[in-house]
Amino acid sequence: MASDSHAPVASSEDTRAQTEARAAVTASLDSAGSRYDTLYQQRASDLHSNAKAIEKQEINTKKNSTALAKESAKWQKEVDKATKSLNEFGDLQNWAETMERDFLVLEETLRLVENAPEVESASGVSQWR
């Protein structure tokens, strides 16, 4: 019976060792889990903060894009006005050149008329030849 009395004691020691081992493993896992939990919670917090910052930047970018589009349209109107003015100046220049040619033709015609001899007609009216 002595051997029977040792069996429950050994079993009790095994159970206690298992319990201590289980507690040690659980504590180790809790420690590691806690470390990773803190790390991942910080990362999640950073991601959340960054998402808010990106959202604000996106709103500002849209506002700036709209303002840039308005400014671009304003400058395009100025460019169109300048182009129209240059075209009108070109038209004015063409008109002036045309007038100059007409005046040269008129001047040459008058020169020829002034230098041409007069011929009298039967009615007594001078005619140019």
Side-chain angles (χ1 to χ4, degrees):
M1 290 219 158
S3 63
D4 286 341
S5 66
H6 285 62
V9 173
S11 173
S12 160
E13 285 180 27
D14 289 342
T15 303
R16 191 184 77 182
Q18 287 177 351
T19 303
E20 288 175 2
R22 186 174 294 128
V25 168
T26 303
S28 176
L29 290 175
D30 284 346
S31 174
S34 176
R35 185 170 54 107
Y36 286 114
D37 186 49
T38 302
L39 176 67
Y40 290 130
Q41 282 183 7
Q42 182 61 44
R43 286 185 182 178
S45 176
D46 290 346
L47 288 173
H48 187 68
S49 296
N50 290 341
K52 285 183 180 181
I54 289 171
E55 186 177 337
K56 287 179 183 177
Q57 290 173 356
E58 184 179 351
I59 290 169
N60 287 337
T61 300
K62 285 180 182 179
K63 286 179 184 177
N64 291 338
S65 294
T66 301
L68 181 61
K70 288 179 182 178
E71 191 69 21
S72 179
K74 176 183 164 186
W75 282 108
Q76 185 61 49
K77 286 180 184 178
E78 291 297 321
V79 167
D80 292 344
K81 283 182 187 177
T83 301
K84 183 179 179 184
S85 296
L86 286 174
N87 287 340
E88 288 174 358
F89 178 75
D91 291 344
L92 179 64
Q93 184 177 359
N94 288 340
W95 174 81
E97 289 172 358
T98 302
M99 292 299 292
E100 183 180 14
R101 281 192 300 271
D102 289 347
F103 284 134
L104 288 173
V105 168
L106 184 59
E107 182 183 353
E108 180 63 19
T109 302
L110 288 175
R111 188 187 64 76
L112 290 173
V113 168
E114 288 174 355
N115 292 331
E118 288 186 37
V119 177
E120 281 194 31
S121 67
S123 65
V125 179
S126 297
Q127 291 185 347
W128 299 104
R129 220 177 191 191

